[in-house]
Amino acid sequence: MQVLKDIDDCRRAVLEARKTGGVVGLVPTMGALHEGHLSLVRAAESRCDFTAVTIFVNPTQFGEGEDFDAYPRRLEADLAVCRSAGVDLVFTPTAAAMYPPGVSTRVHVSGLTEGLCGADRPGHFDGVATVVAKLFNILPAQLAFFGEKDYQQLLVIRRMARDLNIPTEIVGCPIVREADGLAMSSRNARLSPAERRQAVSLSRSLFAARDRIASGSRDVGAVISEICIEILRAGRTDIQYVDIVDATTLESLEVIDRPARICLAVRIGGCRLIDNVAVDSPPAAT
Ligand code: AMP
């Protein structure tokens, strides 16, 4: 497994892998790897000849007062995980190499970035879109794998790739959860045992809402209230948003009459956790 910090070395290695007709798959991450990340690696390995993982805690996607400094960093353990997963290349650049003095270009995707996490975290998706565009140029892969765990991010990156004619196919992968339903996240490691117990209310409330919609409920307001009540019942939490949105445009829905996503963000202690589930529109009432 190659472990590269240098941008030119990395591009050369990817181009070399493609030279003989190989399909390269890219898995961008911020490290502290868990089963969710590994599911993307496995998806890449199943469709590609060469799998590249990037590990970079991207400073430009964290706002002031957010957890950039506290974000877990475990490079040696991550490299061991990648090695045993059969990854071919890991790119671990420094922030100085990614953002040398004088950098003055940012990628902004409008529309999709305005609601949900975009409303809570101004500039966050500019940071994400910019770093991912850079990674697509540094590692010119045919396929890139992203988790539905960050559903808004997945749609933003798809739109960016389409709008900028980036020839990398964006592949979305399902959310991997703990046995009790909590969506896996690098941030879960920072939860205290009590917070970890509260955190399960996020997925539990989403699953209950999905069931309620599947059995015919169309009232978005009532479904959202139920979710909030269940989360607040679990203890002291700070709900950032709960919304039911069109699965393609991310516009808030008043009635669930098309494929939708229920998305939420909740602060528990020092962690901001996000989760979402897909919901189909219920059958028409008879
Ligand atoms: P991160 O390291 O949190 O930036 O995530 C890197 C990639 O892994 C993103 O595409 C995430 O959506 C994806 N990911 C993170 N957690 C999960 C999960 N529980 N299930 C599936 N994909 C995930």
Side-chain angles (χ1 to χ4, degrees), residues 118-163:
D120 281 353
R121 305 183 69 188
H124 167 68
F125 286 113
D126 287 5
V128 170
T130 304
V131 78
V132 173
K134 286 165 73 70
L135 292 173
F136 285 166
N137 284 322
I138 296 166
L139 299 100
Q142 289 98 326
L143 303 176
F145 297 80
F146 292 87
E148 290 184 354
K149 158 81 174 16
D150 301 87
Y151 188 73
Q152 186 175 19
Q153 169 176 284
L154 170 63
L155 295 199
V156 167
I157 288 164
R158 257 201 197 121
R159 175 67 56 83
M160 174 197 71
R162 197 187 73 187
D163 290 354

Side-chain angles (χ1 to χ4, degrees), residues 4 50 84 172 204 232 248:
L4 301 175
F50 185 97
S84 60
R204 197 181 290 148
L232 292 171
T248 309

Side-chain angles (χ1 to χ4, degrees), residues 28-31 34 36-37 40 71 146-147 149-150 153 174-176 184:
T29 81
M30 297 205 298
H34 51 67
H37 297 113
L40 307 187
Y71 198 85
F146 292 87
K149 158 81 174 16
D150 301 87
Q153 169 176 284
I175 300 175
V176 177
M184 289 194 183

Side-chain angles (χ1 to χ4, degrees), residues 32 34 37 71 149 176 178 182-189 272-274:
H34 51 67
H37 297 113
Y71 198 85
K149 158 81 174 16
V176 177
E178 302 286 357
L182 177 67
M184 289 194 183
S185 164
S186 304
R187 290 188 167 98
N188 293 351
R272 183 178 180 281
L273 303 179
I274 59 172

